[in-house]
Amino acid sequence: MSETTTGASYAAAGVDIEAGDRAVELMKEWVRKTRRPEVLGGLGGFAGLFDASALKRYERPLLASATDGVGTKVDLARRMGVYDTIGRDLVGMVVDDLVVCGAEPLFMTDYICVGKVHPERVAAIVKGIAEGCVLAGCALVGGETAEHPGLLGEDDFDVAGAGTGVVEADRLLGPERIRTGDVVVAMASSGLHSNGYSLVRHVVFDRAGWALDREVPEFGRTLGEELLEPTKIYSLDCLALTRTTEVHAFSHITGGGLAANLARVIPEELHATVDRSTWTPGAVFDVVGTAGRVERLELEKTLNMGVGMMAVVPAESADAALTTLADRGVDAWVAGEITERGDHAEGAALTGDYAA
């Protein structure tokens, strides 16, 4: 019987259920590493279960939720054939949005969309997500791997995730806590994190014509290794900060850059000034700017410029905050201050020049 006269099947349409089942088996050991006491059941059910009775210790628990992806950084992972770090980027993008309001990340779910299920590849992605969850102190309670033949190429994939956290209502952080005289504490990024890669890819591939295996002296490693450096996850560091000193707000520096993200937590009547001379951005920012002849304002609107998270604290709490972060291995410094808005049109601005 010819192929045209045989019955259609899911496999003939490009979906391999057995490969999907194998991927689930391979990822189970990594998911188990993220388990918290509140998690019920194991991987493979229709829904992840989390024992909400754990919230009884709160007077008025507020649930926080966030969802995000990794953006076009996944293209670099695909090109390099390195799949076990991109998940840490995903976790960082989600949990560090949660912790901005003071919430402890409780659990995450993920969504992996592929053109064709390669079980080992999917398991490697989940391994990275699980490692990120361990770094964030949250559980990975479930997820979905979707195979989309005909819409994505066999090696194409994308990842997204959602997280839930909890914060006591009277400990909620945000603009209403910020006061004149507060200072801004900057926490160093590990590199580009997971934002601005459309610009970065355009610069290094289209304008500079570089290959990912190019050795870049400024990096001390290849271009690809630098660009795939995982996002630093700050959630446990931020939570430690809230336990050891007074914190008024956090700002996660992601798409839109430092000033725009900091402005999101500054009340309308106040202004944040950040002094560029208090730090030197990592080499990757200068290399991208020079290779693409990108103006500084454009770089600052797109990339984190070496700062992944900021905390707004009372001036008298700055030393304690820096000590806590140093004890946790986080490079941090006082980068700015909060003043009256006055004639400033924006909630936050950068001043001065970066340190040499």
Side-chain angles (χ1 to χ4, degrees), residues 73 80 82 85 190 197 212-216 219-230:
K73 191 172 184 177
M80 293 185 66
V82 176
T85 62
S190 57
Y197 274 80
L212 287 169
D213 61 359
R214 177 190 179 97
E215 293 286 344
V216 181
F219 302 157
R221 55 182 173 176
T222 67
L223 173 67
E225 288 169 336
E226 177 68 28
L227 298 186
L228 270 193
E229 179 67 32

Side-chain angles (χ1 to χ4, degrees), residues 17-210:
I17 294 177
E18 291 183 358
D21 291 341
R22 173 164 167 72
V24 171
E25 287 302 314
L26 290 174
M27 68 179 71
K28 281 183 176 180
E29 67 170 294
W30 300 109
V31 175
R32 278 195 293 268
K33 295 178 185 294
T34 75
R35 193 176 182 89
R36 290 175 50 128
E38 304 94 337
V39 175
L40 303 178
L43 194 66
F46 285 93
L49 297 175
F50 190 91
D51 186 355
S53 68
L55 305 183
K56 289 180 179 179
R57 69 178 186 271
Y58 291 83
E59 291 292 326
R60 185 187 170 202
L62 302 180
L63 292 180
S65 66
T67 186
D68 211 336
V70 179
T72 58
K73 191 172 184 177
V74 298
D75 177 60
L76 301 176
R78 179 188 62 80
R79 291 188 187 211
M80 293 185 66
V82 176
Y83 301 97
D84 62 352
T85 62
I86 204 75
R88 285 170 59 182
D89 294 291
L90 176 63
V91 175
M93 291 297 100
V94 173
V95 300
D96 287 337
D97 276 356
L98 292 175
V99 82
V100 162
C101 68
E104 174 193 358
L106 298 175
F107 57 85
M108 273 193 66
T109 56
D110 64 63
Y111 176 76
I112 304 171
C113 183
V114 300
K116 179 178 177 59
V117 172
H118 300 280
E120 289 75 15
R121 185 177 303 173
V122 172
I125 295 171
V126 174
K127 171 180 179 287
I129 297 173
E131 290 175 339
C133 286
V134 170
L135 291 172
C138 69
L140 181 60
V141 297
E144 171 72 7
T145 300
E147 193 170 23
H148 288 177
L151 294 181
L152 297 175
E154 287 195 3
D155 291 328
D156 292 337
F157 75 99
D158 198 10
V159 295
T164 298
V166 62
V167 59
E168 189 70 76
D170 63 6
R171 297 184 63 82
L172 185 69
L173 304 181
E176 63 282 351
R177 290 183 178 263
I178 297 178
R179 301 289 183 267
T180 301
D182 285 353
V183 298
V184 179
V185 173
M187 302 177 217
S189 68
S190 57
L192 295 171
H193 285 186
S194 296
N195 302 104
Y197 274 80
S198 293
L199 171 64
V200 172
R201 288 164 54 250
H202 172 66
V203 167
V204 298
F205 298 144
D206 301 334
R207 296 183 71 97
W210 292 351

Side-chain angles (χ1 to χ4, degrees), residues 19 68 85 139 177 186 195 246 248 262 274 317:
D68 211 336
T85 62
R177 290 183 178 263
N195 302 104
E246 185 177 355
H248 289 166
L262 182 56
V274 175
S317 298

